[in-house]
Amino acid sequence: MSTLAEKIVKTRKSKGLTQDALAELCGVTKRTVASYETDGRIPHSGTLKKLASVLGVTVTYLTDESADLELPKPEDLYIENIRNLYGLDIAAEVEELYTKSVSLFAGGKLDQEAKDRYFLALTNAYIACKGGKEQK
């Protein structure tokens, strides 16, 4: 089991960020970031979303102590963004699309960047059909 503090430290360091840099990107002080990492202080929901976004992880990854220290897959980030923007039902539908389309890559030689572009295009096409705004 990994704590929120451990996950913040691990992902911050993996991104090559100092506490100062993370604080600036999240709109908080270095002291606040240090308190998240050492004192077990829990960020407010808005700050937690900023932290997750800056660190390139999901809020669920940060807050679920039973989750492994493994970073989430890129498609998990897309689904989390969809959940935050459009709600659980739309996110579940997009997740189902991703799950069904994964077999397209079986045995293929696409690199992760190409897969990311595919998932982003799939997300944008789906959202456009639903009448929402595109992801970036």
Side-chain angles (χ1 to χ4, degrees):
M1 288 182 35
S2 301
T3 66
L4 172 71
E6 292 168 331
K7 291 177 182 182
I8 291 173
V9 171
K10 179 182 173 67
T11 53
R12 175 179 61 76
K13 288 181 177 180
S14 76
K15 296 278 185 188
L17 294 172
T18 63
Q19 286 181 337
D20 280 324
L22 180 59
E24 186 175 327
L25 291 168
C26 292
V28 298
T29 66
K30 177 186 176 187
R31 185 176 181 172
T32 300
V33 169
S35 71
Y36 298 152
E37 292 184 357
T38 58
D39 299 338
R41 182 171 165 209
I42 306 296
H44 297 289
S45 65
T47 304
L48 190 59
K49 287 178 183 178
K50 284 182 187 177
L51 274 170
S53 177
V54 168
L55 294 172
V57 298
T58 64
V59 171
T60 303
Y61 166 77
L62 288 176
T63 57
D64 184 355
E65 288 192 14
S66 66
D68 196 348
L69 273 176
E70 222 175 278
L71 296 176
K73 298 176 283 193
E75 54 268 26
D76 293 339
L77 298 174
Y78 297 135
I79 292 167
E80 177 97 1
N81 286 336
I82 296 298
R83 187 176 299 113
N84 290 335
L85 289 171
Y86 303 105
L88 294 173
D89 291 340
I90 299 285
E93 291 173 6
V94 169
E95 188 168 18
E96 184 178 349
L97 280 173
Y98 288 169
T99 301
K100 289 181 177 179
S101 65
V102 159
S103 63
L104 293 172
F105 302 119
K109 299 197 189 281
L110 287 179
D111 61 16
Q112 188 59 48
E113 186 177 334
K115 291 176 186 177
D116 291 347
R117 286 194 308 267
Y118 168 79
F119 285 118
L120 182 59
L122 180 64
T123 300
N124 286 332
Y126 181 80
I127 296 302
C129 289
K130 289 289 197 176
K133 63 181 180 179
E134 291 187 353
Q135 299 287 293
K136 299 209 183 209

